[in-house]
Amino acid sequence: MKKALATVLVVIMIAAIFTPTLAMATPQHPFTDVGTNTWYSEAVDYVWANNLMRGTGANTFSPNSTMSRAMVATILYRLADEPSVSFAPVFTDVSAGSWYANAVIWANTNNIVQGVGGGRFAPNADVTREQFVTLLFRFAMFLEIDTSVPMSFNLLQFEDRIHISSWAQEPMLWAAYHGLITGTSITTLSPSGTATRAQCATILHRFSDLLSTPTDPDIPTDPPIDLPPNATDMEWQMFLEVNQLRTAHGAPPLAWCNCLRDVALAHSFDMWQRDFHGHTNPDGIGPGGRIRNAGIDFIAASENVASGFRTFKAANAGFMESPIHRDTLLSPGWTHIGIGHWDGGGGSYNGLHWTQKFIRQPDHVCR
């Protein structure tokens, strides 16, 4: 998906379709390369007992080998009890009769896997950790498992979180929240690292607990959100996360400004309607001019613009990956924020546009 970011600073004086049947994990596997005391031994017992993963040889599991796209599709297909499939030539490199054909066609039909472009699936390509988690996340959605995550949960402890791809932000957050992934160290998730067979087996084993107890009354949930009169849930969720990020980085939280939100939404809508991305509209009016035209008094103002990001988490992650946008979002000088999100569908950036407007205002009169 094509995505874009832009920022500017202005200063002026003034639940389930079905439940897979899972066997108890029993150490019956024949693998000589899986020791009984390894961190993944119990997981290998589980995937073997449930016929989710087989060996790479008669007596080998190859725990450190990588997983391919075809292997992952096949695992999820088996987890779904291998429903009947009518083959269709969806991908040029997936032929009828191949060992992974039914799995790939089923997973594609159910929006779990996609192609890599050019009509290809690339069945032998290695899968990264964030890709594997994303496919499992889509499978959970297929099962109609609740994939929501409380706003209070974040990945701030992981220094490489900024390297998570935008499309994997929500899946990785979900996986970390439920303990499916715990990091390759205390401070790293290694999202772009290849997923090994041992890692995948372990994640699948942990996922089985989620299947057994899709809702846990002990898991804390956020209280209902009382939205401002003119904010959508998506805008308010972004606002809450912005303040979480600011607090984590030592910046004071911002106050919500309804008037500023209206200006931000108008710009997001304008980018969609007139098909452009940036701060200055086709009429030559920039961020400061739009704020002044709305009658909002301010000392200084800034604007972050993003297009093509499906979720507020992905958009915020995009801002945090860019030094100039990050500095704008975390600047201690702002007092108020307004956020406008427009999803028009189609057109450039899939019709997805976000505008964050920041101001420093005298006497805090923003309403």
Side-chain angles (χ1 to χ4, degrees):
M1 179 191 299
K2 185 179 180 183
K3 302 177 182 70
L5 301 169
T7 191
V8 71
L9 174 67
V10 179
V11 180
I12 66 170
M13 299 305 296
I14 58 169
I17 293 175
F18 62 85
T19 301
T21 301
L22 304 175
M24 294 297 292
T26 54
Q28 298 176 343
H29 68 72
F31 308 127
T32 57
D33 57 353
V34 177
T36 56
N37 295 321
T38 58
W39 57 267
Y40 50 82
S41 59
E42 186 177 349
V44 174
D45 289 340
Y46 163 77
V47 295
W48 170 263
N50 287 283
N51 195 34
L52 299 181
M53 295 177 67
R54 311 312 290 170
T56 55
N59 301 107
T60 56
F61 184 77
S62 303
N64 296 319
S65 295
T66 57
M67 294 282 289
S68 70
R69 287 166 55 82
M71 290 177 183
V72 177
T74 301
I75 288 172
L76 298 181
Y77 182 56
R78 290 171 178 168
L79 194 54
D81 291 333
E82 301 186 55
S84 60
V85 174
S86 296
F87 180 81
V90 179
F91 302 109
T92 58
D93 52 359
V94 177
S95 58
S98 57
W99 61 268
Y100 48 80
N102 284 351
V104 171
I105 300 305
W106 168 82
N108 178 254
T109 300
N110 290 286
N111 299 314
I112 297 172
V113 302
Q114 301 170 353
V116 296
R120 298 171 53 252
F121 178 71
N124 298 319
D126 289 340
V127 169
T128 65
R129 286 166 54 82
E130 66 177 4
Q131 288 171 349
F132 183 78
V133 164
T134 298
L135 295 180
L136 197 60
F137 176 79
R138 292 173 185 167
F139 181 71
M141 295 181 69
F142 165 74
L143 295 180
E144 296 186 350
I145 293 175
D146 182 10
T147 56
S148 61
V149 176
M151 283 298 301
S152 57
F153 184 80
N154 58 59
L155 301 176
L156 294 179
Q157 74 180 83
F158 299 108
E159 297 173 354
D160 59 353
R161 67 187 181 280
I162 62 173
H163 300 305
I164 300 173
S165 300
S166 59
W167 45 264
Q169 289 285 334
E170 189 175 1
M172 290 290 279
L173 192 71
W174 164 79
Y177 174 66
H178 287 289
L180 304 183
I181 56 172
T182 56
T184 51
S185 74
I186 297 177
T187 58
T188 57
L189 281 170
S190 305
S192 59
T194 53
T196 67
R197 288 172 56 82
Q199 290 172 350
C200 291
T202 300
I203 293 172
L204 288 167
H205 189 205
R206 293 167 180 168
F207 183 67
S208 68
D209 292 334
L210 192 60
L211 289 176
S212 302
T213 55
T215 57
D216 187 342
D218 295 329
I219 294 177
T221 57
D222 289 327
I225 296 174
D226 184 15
L227 300 179
N230 66 345
T232 66
D233 179 71
M234 190 80 79
E235 292 163 350
W236 190 244
Q237 297 267 8
M238 173 178 270
F239 165 67
L240 294 177
E241 187 176 66
V242 165
N243 273 343
Q244 286 181 359
L245 292 168
R246 289 175 62 84
T247 300
H249 289 83
L254 301 172
W256 178 268
C257 179
N258 286 328
C259 297
L260 200 58
R261 181 267 180 180
D262 291 342
V263 179
L265 178 62
H267 186 59
S268 291
F269 175 80
D270 194 25
M271 286 192 292
W272 170 76
Q273 187 178 48
R274 294 199 275 183
D275 195 23
F276 73 96
H277 173 81
H279 302 288
T280 302
N281 66 24
D283 301 323
I285 301 176
R290 288 191 293 273
I291 297 175
R292 284 191 295 270
N293 291 343
I296 301 174
D297 187 20
F298 67 100
I299 297 172
S302 185
E303 178 181 88
N304 277 345
V305 173
S307 296
F309 294 91
R310 177 64 60 184
T311 67
F312 72 91
K313 288 185 178 295
N316 272 342
F319 290 138
M320 291 294 287
E321 289 178 11
S322 165
I324 188 170
H325 298 89
R326 177 188 172 96
D327 289 347
T328 298
L329 194 151
L330 300 179
S331 173
W334 311 126
T335 58
H336 293 75
I337 188 175
I339 298 170
H341 168 239
W342 183 260
D343 182 356
S348 298
Y349 308 106
N350 287 338
L352 300 164
H353 300 280
W354 304 81
T355 301
Q356 296 177 338
K357 300 193 76 70
F358 306 84
I359 61 172
R360 183 165 73 251
Q361 189 177 54
D363 302 324
H364 302 283
V365 297
C366 195
R367 59 194 186 280

